[in-house]
Amino acid sequence: MSDFLIIGGGVIGMMTALQLADAGQQVTLVERGRCGQEASWAGGGIVSPLYPWRYSAAVSQLSRWSEGAYPSLALRLLEETGIDPEYRQKGCST
Ligand SMILES: Cc1cc2nc3c(=O)[nH]c(=O)nc-3n(C[C@H](O)[C@H](O)[C@H](O)COP(=O)(O)OP(=O)(O)OC[C@H]3O[C@@H](n4cnc5c(N)ncnc54)[C@H](O)[C@@H]3O)c2cc1C
């Protein structure tokens, strides 16, 4: 019996499932097609806002947090799945 039911296996659904599982919850994820396709397949994976000066302090703060979390997340995903997220640190930073 699951504690949580997540509909949709895009990056949002899968990351939510991962965090819930990390917190010790039983999770069922339902995907109508293949996980990681749809918008998540198209996404360029850019974490920093393309135009940081146009965004609020709250968005820039979240962006900086995400930039900091990305390297260890990418490494964890590679180690646990064998799939290389191909994380590279380049260019623009907030
Ligand atoms: C061209 C492009 C470039 C982008 N570049 C960036 C970027 O550089 N940086 C960035 O941060 N964001 C970027 N984005 C945005 C980012 O890709 C999306 O915000 C993100 O992928 C959304 O994830 P999601 O899980 O909400 O949606 P999705 O990845 O679309 O996942 C939703 C999933 O739900 C499933 N689903 C829907 N209905 C049902 C149902 N009834 N039952 C079962 N499953 C269902 C779908 O099949 C799909 O797999 C980009 C988007 C595009 C299109």
Side-chain angles (χ1 to χ4, degrees), residues 12-61:
I12 299 300
M14 290 194 290
M15 288 307 303
T16 302
L18 181 64
Q19 291 199 317
L20 286 168
D22 282 347
Q25 304 297 320
Q26 294 288 323
V27 184
T28 297
L29 189 149
V30 177
E31 167 55 49
R32 66 183 171 188
R34 290 179 58 207
C35 288
Q37 302 294 303
E38 304 291 335
S40 296
W41 185 257
I46 300 167
V47 180
S48 70
L50 289 177
Y51 307 102
W53 52 91
R54 291 186 189 171
Y55 295 95
S56 68
V59 170
S60 294
Q61 192 177 356

CSV table of all heavy atoms in Angstrom, one decimal, residues 12-61:
chain,number,residue,atom,x,y,z
A,12,ILE,N,9.3,16.6,-12.6
A,12,ILE,CA,8.7,17.0,-11.4
A,12,ILE,C,8.1,15.8,-10.6
A,12,ILE,O,8.4,15.6,-9.4
A,12,ILE,CB,7.5,18.0,-11.7
A,12,ILE,CG1,8.0,19.3,-12.4
A,12,ILE,CG2,6.7,18.3,-10.4
A,12,ILE,CD1,9.1,20.0,-11.6
A,13,GLY,N,7.4,14.9,-11.4
A,13,GLY,CA,6.9,13.7,-10.7
A,13,GLY,C,8.0,12.8,-10.2
A,13,GLY,O,7.9,12.3,-9.0
A,14,MET,N,9.1,12.6,-11.0
A,14,MET,CA,10.1,11.7,-10.6
A,14,MET,C,11.0,12.3,-9.4
A,14,MET,O,11.3,11.6,-8.5
A,14,MET,CB,11.0,11.4,-11.7
A,14,MET,CG,10.3,10.5,-12.8
A,14,MET,SD,11.4,9.8,-14.0
A,14,MET,CE,11.9,11.2,-14.9
A,15,MET,N,11.2,13.6,-9.4
A,15,MET,CA,12.0,14.2,-8.3
A,15,MET,C,11.1,14.2,-7.0
A,15,MET,O,11.6,14.0,-5.9
A,15,MET,CB,12.4,15.6,-8.7
A,15,MET,CG,13.5,15.7,-9.7
A,15,MET,SD,15.0,14.7,-9.2
A,15,MET,CE,15.4,15.4,-7.6
A,16,THR,N,9.8,14.4,-7.2
A,16,THR,CA,8.9,14.4,-6.0
A,16,THR,C,8.9,13.0,-5.4
A,16,THR,O,9.0,12.8,-4.2
A,16,THR,CB,7.5,14.8,-6.4
A,16,THR,OG1,7.5,16.1,-7.0
A,16,THR,CG2,6.6,14.8,-5.2
A,17,ALA,N,8.9,12.0,-6.3
A,17,ALA,CA,8.9,10.6,-5.9
A,17,ALA,C,10.2,10.3,-5.1
A,17,ALA,O,10.2,9.6,-4.1
A,17,ALA,CB,8.7,9.6,-7.1
A,18,LEU,N,11.3,10.8,-5.7
A,18,LEU,CA,12.6,10.5,-5.1
A,18,LEU,C,12.7,11.1,-3.7
A,18,LEU,O,13.2,10.5,-2.7
A,18,LEU,CB,13.7,11.1,-6.0
A,18,LEU,CG,15.2,10.9,-5.5
A,18,LEU,CD1,15.5,9.4,-5.5
A,18,LEU,CD2,16.2,11.7,-6.4
A,19,GLN,N,12.2,12.4,-3.6
A,19,GLN,CA,12.3,13.0,-2.3
A,19,GLN,C,11.4,12.4,-1.2
A,19,GLN,O,11.8,12.2,-0.1
A,19,GLN,CB,11.9,14.5,-2.4
A,19,GLN,CG,13.0,15.3,-3.2
A,19,GLN,CD,12.9,16.8,-2.9
A,19,GLN,OE1,11.8,17.3,-3.0
A,19,GLN,NE2,14.0,17.4,-2.8
A,20,LEU,N,10.2,11.9,-1.7
A,20,LEU,CA,9.3,11.2,-0.8
A,20,LEU,C,9.9,9.9,-0.3
A,20,LEU,O,9.9,9.5,0.8
A,20,LEU,CB,8.0,11.0,-1.4
A,20,LEU,CG,7.1,12.2,-1.5
A,20,LEU,CD1,5.9,12.0,-2.5
A,20,LEU,CD2,6.6,12.7,-0.2
A,21,ALA,N,10.5,9.2,-1.3
A,21,ALA,CA,11.2,7.9,-1.0
A,21,ALA,C,12.3,8.1,0.0
A,21,ALA,O,12.5,7.3,0.9
A,21,ALA,CB,11.7,7.2,-2.2
A,22,ASP,N,13.1,9.2,-0.2
A,22,ASP,CA,14.2,9.5,0.7
A,22,ASP,C,13.7,9.8,2.1
A,22,ASP,O,14.4,9.5,3.1
A,22,ASP,CB,14.9,10.8,0.2
A,22,ASP,CG,15.9,10.5,-0.9
A,22,ASP,OD1,16.2,9.3,-1.2
A,22,ASP,OD2,16.4,11.5,-1.6
A,23,ALA,N,12.5,10.3,2.2
A,23,ALA,CA,11.9,10.6,3.5
A,23,ALA,C,11.2,9.3,4.1
A,23,ALA,O,10.5,9.4,5.1
A,23,ALA,CB,10.8,11.7,3.3
A,24,GLY,N,11.3,8.2,3.4
A,24,GLY,CA,10.8,6.9,4.0
A,24,GLY,C,9.4,6.6,3.6
A,24,GLY,O,8.8,5.7,4.1
A,25,GLN,N,8.8,7.3,2.6
A,25,GLN,CA,7.5,7.1,2.2
A,25,GLN,C,7.4,6.1,1.0
A,25,GLN,O,8.3,6.0,0.3
A,25,GLN,CB,6.8,8.4,1.7
A,25,GLN,CG,6.9,9.5,2.7
A,25,GLN,CD,6.1,9.2,4.0
A,25,GLN,OE1,5.0,8.7,3.9
A,25,GLN,NE2,6.7,9.6,5.1
A,26,GLN,N,6.3,5.3,1.0
A,26,GLN,CA,6.0,4.4,-0.1
A,26,GLN,C,5.3,5.2,-1.2
A,26,GLN,O,4.3,5.9,-1.0
A,26,GLN,CB,5.1,3.3,0.4
A,26,GLN,CG,5.7,2.4,1.4
A,26,GLN,CD,6.8,1.5,0.8
A,26,GLN,OE1,6.7,1.0,-0.3
A,26,GLN,NE2,7.9,1.2,1.6
A,27,VAL,N,5.9,5.1,-2.4
A,27,VAL,CA,5.4,6.0,-3.5
A,27,VAL,C,5.1,5.1,-4.7
A,27,VAL,O,5.8,4.2,-5.1
A,27,VAL,CB,6.4,7.0,-4.0
A,27,VAL,CG1,5.9,7.9,-5.0
A,27,VAL,CG2,6.9,7.8,-2.8
A,28,THR,N,3.9,5.4,-5.3
A,28,THR,CA,3.6,4.8,-6.6
A,28,THR,C,3.5,5.9,-7.7
A,28,THR,O,2.9,6.9,-7.4
A,28,THR,CB,2.2,4.0,-6.6
A,28,THR,OG1,2.3,3.0,-5.7
A,28,THR,CG2,1.8,3.5,-8.0
A,29,LEU,N,4.2,5.7,-8.8
A,29,LEU,CA,4.2,6.7,-9.8
A,29,LEU,C,3.6,6.1,-11.1
A,29,LEU,O,4.0,5.0,-11.5
A,29,LEU,CB,5.7,7.2,-10.1
A,29,LEU,CG,5.9,8.4,-11.1
A,29,LEU,CD1,7.1,9.2,-10.7
A,29,LEU,CD2,6.0,7.9,-12.5
A,30,VAL,N,2.6,6.8,-11.6
A,30,VAL,CA,1.9,6.3,-12.8
A,30,VAL,C,2.3,7.2,-14.0
A,30,VAL,O,2.1,8.4,-13.9
A,30,VAL,CB,0.4,6.3,-12.6
A,30,VAL,CG1,-0.3,5.9,-13.9
A,30,VAL,CG2,0.0,5.4,-11.4
A,31,GLU,N,2.7,6.6,-15.1
A,31,GLU,CA,3.1,7.4,-16.3
A,31,GLU,C,2.4,6.8,-17.5
A,31,GLU,O,2.4,5.6,-17.6
A,31,GLU,CB,4.6,7.4,-16.5
A,31,GLU,CG,5.1,7.8,-17.8
A,31,GLU,CD,4.6,9.2,-18.2
A,31,GLU,OE1,4.7,10.2,-17.4
A,31,GLU,OE2,4.1,9.4,-19.3
A,32,ARG,N,1.7,7.6,-18.3
A,32,ARG,CA,0.9,7.1,-19.4
A,32,ARG,C,1.8,6.6,-20.6
A,32,ARG,O,1.4,5.8,-21.4
A,32,ARG,CB,-0.1,8.1,-19.9
A,32,ARG,CG,0.5,9.3,-20.5
A,32,ARG,CD,-0.5,10.3,-20.9
A,32,ARG,NE,0.1,11.6,-21.3
A,32,ARG,CZ,-0.5,12.7,-21.5
A,32,ARG,NH1,-1.8,12.7,-21.4
A,32,ARG,NH2,0.1,13.8,-21.9
A,33,GLY,N,3.0,7.2,-20.6
A,33,GLY,CA,3.9,6.8,-21.7
A,33,GLY,C,5.2,6.3,-21.2
A,33,GLY,O,5.2,5.3,-20.5
A,34,ARG,N,6.3,7.1,-21.5
A,34,ARG,CA,7.6,6.7,-20.9
A,34,ARG,C,8.1,7.9,-20.0
A,34,ARG,O,7.9,9.0,-20.3
A,34,ARG,CB,8.6,6.5,-22.0
A,34,ARG,CG,8.4,5.2,-22.8
A,34,ARG,CD,9.4,5.1,-24.0
A,34,ARG,NE,10.8,5.1,-23.4
A,34,ARG,CZ,11.8,5.5,-24.1
A,34,ARG,NH1,11.7,6.0,-25.4
A,34,ARG,NH2,13.0,5.5,-23.6
A,35,CYS,N,8.7,7.5,-18.9
A,35,CYS,CA,9.2,8.5,-18.0
A,35,CYS,C,10.3,9.4,-18.7
A,35,CYS,O,11.0,8.9,-19.5
A,35,CYS,CB,9.8,7.9,-16.7
A,35,CYS,SG,8.5,7.2,-15.6
A,36,GLY,N,10.3,10.7,-18.3
A,36,GLY,CA,11.3,11.5,-18.7
A,36,GLY,C,11.2,12.0,-20.2
A,36,GLY,O,12.2,12.4,-20.8
A,37,GLN,N,10.1,11.9,-20.7
A,37,GLN,CA,9.9,12.3,-22.1
A,37,GLN,C,9.1,13.7,-22.0
A,37,GLN,O,9.3,14.4,-21.1
A,37,GLN,CB,9.1,11.3,-22.9
A,37,GLN,CG,9.8,9.9,-23.0
A,37,GLN,CD,11.1,10.0,-23.7
A,37,GLN,OE1,11.2,10.4,-24.9
A,37,GLN,NE2,12.2,9.6,-23.1
A,38,GLU,N,8.2,13.9,-22.9
A,38,GLU,CA,7.4,15.1,-22.9
A,38,GLU,C,8.2,16.4,-22.6
A,38,GLU,O,9.3,16.5,-23.2
A,38,GLU,CB,6.3,15.0,-21.8
A,38,GLU,CG,5.4,13.8,-22.0
A,38,GLU,CD,4.5,13.8,-23.2
A,38,GLU,OE1,4.2,14.9,-23.7
A,38,GLU,OE2,4.1,12.8,-23.8
A,39,ALA,N,7.8,17.3,-21.8
A,39,ALA,CA,8.5,18.6,-21.6
A,39,ALA,C,9.9,18.3,-21.0
A,39,ALA,O,10.9,19.0,-21.4
A,39,ALA,CB,7.8,19.5,-20.7
A,40,SER,N,10.0,17.3,-20.2
A,40,SER,CA,11.3,17.0,-19.5
A,40,SER,C,12.4,16.6,-20.5
A,40,SER,O,13.6,16.8,-20.3
A,40,SER,CB,11.1,16.0,-18.4
A,40,SER,OG,10.3,16.4,-17.4
A,41,TRP,N,11.9,16.0,-21.6
A,41,TRP,CA,12.9,15.5,-22.7
A,41,TRP,C,13.4,16.7,-23.4
A,41,TRP,O,14.5,16.8,-23.9
A,41,TRP,CB,12.2,14.5,-23.6
A,41,TRP,CG,13.0,13.9,-24.6
A,41,TRP,CD1,13.1,14.3,-26.0
A,41,TRP,CD2,14.0,12.9,-24.5
A,41,TRP,NE1,14.0,13.5,-26.6
A,41,TRP,CE2,14.6,12.7,-25.7
A,41,TRP,CE3,14.4,12.2,-23.4
A,41,TRP,CZ2,15.6,11.7,-25.9
A,41,TRP,CZ3,15.4,11.2,-23.5
A,41,TRP,CH2,15.9,11.0,-24.8
A,42,ALA,N,12.5,17.7,-23.6
A,42,ALA,CA,12.8,18.9,-24.4
A,42,ALA,C,13.7,19.9,-23.6
A,42,ALA,O,14.4,20.7,-24.2
A,42,ALA,CB,11.5,19.6,-24.9
A,43,GLY,N,13.5,19.9,-22.3
A,43,GLY,CA,14.2,20.9,-21.5
A,43,GLY,C,15.7,20.9,-21.7
A,43,GLY,O,16.3,19.8,-21.8
A,44,GLY,N,16.3,22.1,-21.7
A,44,GLY,CA,17.7,22.2,-21.9
A,44,GLY,C,18.5,22.0,-20.6
A,44,GLY,O,19.7,21.9,-20.7
A,45,GLY,N,17.8,21.9,-19.5
A,45,GLY,CA,18.5,21.6,-18.2
A,45,GLY,C,19.2,22.9,-17.6
A,45,GLY,O,20.1,22.7,-16.7
A,46,ILE,N,18.9,24.0,-18.2
A,46,ILE,CA,19.5,25.2,-17.6
A,46,ILE,C,18.9,25.6,-16.3
A,46,ILE,O,17.6,25.7,-16.2
A,46,ILE,CB,19.3,26.4,-18.6
A,46,ILE,CG1,20.0,26.0,-20.0
A,46,ILE,CG2,19.9,27.7,-18.1
A,46,ILE,CD1,19.6,27.0,-21.1
A,47,VAL,N,19.7,25.8,-15.3
A,47,VAL,CA,19.1,26.0,-13.9
A,47,VAL,C,19.1,27.5,-13.7
A,47,VAL,O,18.1,28.0,-13.1
A,47,VAL,CB,19.9,25.3,-12.8
A,47,VAL,CG1,19.3,25.6,-11.5
A,47,VAL,CG2,19.9,23.8,-13.1
A,48,SER,N,20.1,28.2,-14.1
A,48,SER,CA,20.1,29.7,-13.8
A,48,SER,C,19.1,30.4,-14.7
A,48,SER,O,18.9,30.0,-15.9
A,48,SER,CB,21.5,30.3,-14.0
A,48,SER,OG,21.8,30.3,-15.3
A,49,PRO,N,18.4,31.4,-14.2
A,49,PRO,CA,17.5,32.2,-15.1
A,49,PRO,C,18.4,32.8,-16.3
A,49,PRO,O,19.5,33.2,-16.0
A,49,PRO,CB,17.0,33.3,-14.2
A,49,PRO,CG,17.3,32.9,-12.8
A,49,PRO,CD,18.4,32.0,-12.9
A,50,LEU,N,17.8,32.7,-17.5
A,50,LEU,CA,18.6,33.2,-18.6
A,50,LEU,C,18.9,34.7,-18.5
A,50,LEU,O,19.9,35.2,-18.9
A,50,LEU,CB,17.9,32.9,-19.9
A,50,LEU,CG,17.8,31.4,-20.3
A,50,LEU,CD1,17.0,31.3,-21.6
A,50,LEU,CD2,19.2,30.9,-20.5
A,51,TYR,N,18.0,35.4,-17.8
A,51,TYR,CA,18.1,36.8,-17.6
A,51,TYR,C,17.9,37.1,-16.1
A,51,TYR,O,16.9,37.6,-15.7
A,51,TYR,CB,17.1,37.6,-18.4
A,51,TYR,CG,17.1,37.2,-19.9
A,51,TYR,CD1,16.1,36.4,-20.4
A,51,TYR,CD2,18.0,37.7,-20.8
A,51,TYR,CE1,16.1,36.0,-21.8
A,51,TYR,CE2,18.1,37.4,-22.1
A,51,TYR,CZ,17.1,36.5,-22.6
A,51,TYR,OH,17.1,36.2,-23.9
A,52,PRO,N,19.0,36.9,-15.3
A,52,PRO,CA,18.8,36.9,-13.9
A,52,PRO,C,18.3,38.3,-13.4
A,52,PRO,O,17.6,38.4,-12.4
A,52,PRO,CB,20.2,36.6,-13.3
A,52,PRO,CG,21.0,36.2,-14.4
A,52,PRO,CD,20.3,36.4,-15.7
A,53,TRP,N,18.8,39.4,-14.1
A,53,TRP,CA,18.4,40.7,-13.7
A,53,TRP,C,16.9,41.0,-13.9
A,53,TRP,O,16.4,42.0,-13.4
A,53,TRP,CB,19.3,41.7,-14.5
A,53,TRP,CG,19.2,41.5,-16.0
A,53,TRP,CD1,18.3,42.1,-16.9
A,53,TRP,CD2,20.1,40.7,-16.8
A,53,TRP,NE1,18.6,41.6,-18.1
A,53,TRP,CE2,19.6,40.8,-18.1
A,53,TRP,CE3,21.1,39.8,-16.4
A,53,TRP,CZ2,20.3,40.0,-19.1
A,53,TRP,CZ3,21.7,39.1,-17.5
A,53,TRP,CH2,21.3,39.2,-18.8
A,54,ARG,N,16.2,40.2,-14.6
A,54,ARG,CA,14.8,40.4,-14.8
A,54,ARG,C,13.9,39.7,-13.7
A,54,ARG,O,12.7,39.9,-13.7
A,54,ARG,CB,14.3,39.8,-16.2
A,54,ARG,CG,14.9,40.6,-17.3
A,54,ARG,CD,14.2,40.0,-18.6
A,54,ARG,NE,14.9,40.6,-19.8
A,54,ARG,CZ,14.6,40.1,-21.0
A,54,ARG,NH1,13.8,39.1,-21.2
A,54,ARG,NH2,15.2,40.6,-22.1
A,55,TYR,N,14.5,38.9,-12.9
A,55,TYR,CA,13.8,38.1,-12.0
A,55,TYR,C,13.9,38.6,-10.6
A,55,TYR,O,14.8,39.3,-10.2
A,55,TYR,CB,14.2,36.6,-12.1
A,55,TYR,CG,13.9,36.0,-13.4
A,55,TYR,CD1,14.9,36.0,-14.4
A,55,TYR,CD2,12.7,35.5,-13.7
A,55,TYR,CE1,14.7,35.4,-15.7
A,55,TYR,CE2,12.4,35.0,-15.0
A,55,TYR,CZ,13.4,35.0,-15.9
A,55,TYR,OH,13.1,34.4,-17.2
A,56,SER,N,12.9,38.2,-9.7
A,56,SER,CA,12.9,38.6,-8.3
A,56,SER,C,14.0,37.9,-7.5
A,56,SER,O,14.6,36.9,-8.0
A,56,SER,CB,11.5,38.2,-7.7
A,56,SER,OG,11.4,36.8,-7.6
A,57,ALA,N,14.2,38.5,-6.4
A,57,ALA,CA,15.2,37.9,-5.5
A,57,ALA,C,14.9,36.5,-5.1
A,57,ALA,O,15.8,35.7,-5.0
A,57,ALA,CB,15.4,38.8,-4.2
A,58,ALA,N,13.6,36.2,-4.9
A,58,ALA,CA,13.2,34.9,-4.5
A,58,ALA,C,13.6,33.9,-5.6
A,58,ALA,O,14.1,32.8,-5.3
A,58,ALA,CB,11.7,34.8,-4.2
A,59,VAL,N,13.4,34.2,-6.9
A,59,VAL,CA,13.7,33.3,-8.0
A,59,VAL,C,15.2,33.1,-8.1
A,59,VAL,O,15.7,32.0,-8.2
A,59,VAL,CB,13.1,33.8,-9.3
A,59,VAL,CG1,13.6,33.0,-10.5
A,59,VAL,CG2,11.6,33.8,-9.3
A,60,SER,N,15.9,34.2,-7.9
A,60,SER,CA,17.4,34.1,-8.0
A,60,SER,C,17.9,33.2,-6.8
A,60,SER,O,18.9,32.4,-7.0
A,60,SER,CB,18.0,35.5,-8.0
A,60,SER,OG,17.7,36.2,-9.1
A,61,GLN,N,17.3,33.4,-5.7
A,61,GLN,CA,17.7,32.6,-4.5
A,61,GLN,C,17.5,31.1,-4.7
A,61,GLN,O,18.3,30.2,-4.5
A,61,GLN,CB,17.0,33.0,-3.3
A,61,GLN,CG,17.5,32.5,-2.0
A,61,GLN,CD,16.8,33.1,-0.8
A,61,GLN,OE1,15.9,33.9,-0.9
A,61,GLN,NE2,17.1,32.6,0.4
